[in-house]
Amino acid sequence: MSPPADIAALREAKSTAKKHGLFVVEKPVGTATEYVLYRILPDRNLRIGMSHTPAALRRLVSRSIGGAARKE
């Protein structure tokens, strides 16, 4: 089971991403999980990047939206 801090970071990252036209896909890899961030575009979805932890995903989302997540 994930620690509460990881669950909170994942929820925050997904919520912030959704507000800014992004979405997160969780991909199981062995016993771990990779989090892949995509931007929604009119003709396709653009892969922005991936991370291995919810905290790193939160930082990736923040960088991808220009730091706006820190201001909210």
Side-chain angles (χ1 to χ4, degrees):
M1 182 161 182
S2 299
D6 284 350
I7 294 169
L10 182 58
R11 284 184 183 161
E12 179 185 346
K14 285 184 172 186
S15 172
T16 303
K18 188 173 182 179
K19 289 178 191 174
H20 294 277
L22 306 169
F23 67 95
V24 176
V25 174
E26 297 180 45
K27 293 176 61 176
V29 178
T31 59
T33 303
E34 288 182 349
Y35 304 97
V36 185
L37 181 65
Y38 291 90
R39 180 173 307 277
I40 300 170
L41 296 176
D43 57 338
R44 64 188 175 100
N45 296 323
L46 177 66
R47 182 174 185 239
I48 302 294
M50 70 160 222
S51 63
H52 296 283
T53 65
L57 175 65
R58 187 171 46 187
R59 288 189 302 270
L60 178 62
V61 169
S62 180
R63 287 192 320 260
S64 297
I65 61 175
R70 292 183 219 131
K71 298 175 187 172
E72 292 179 356

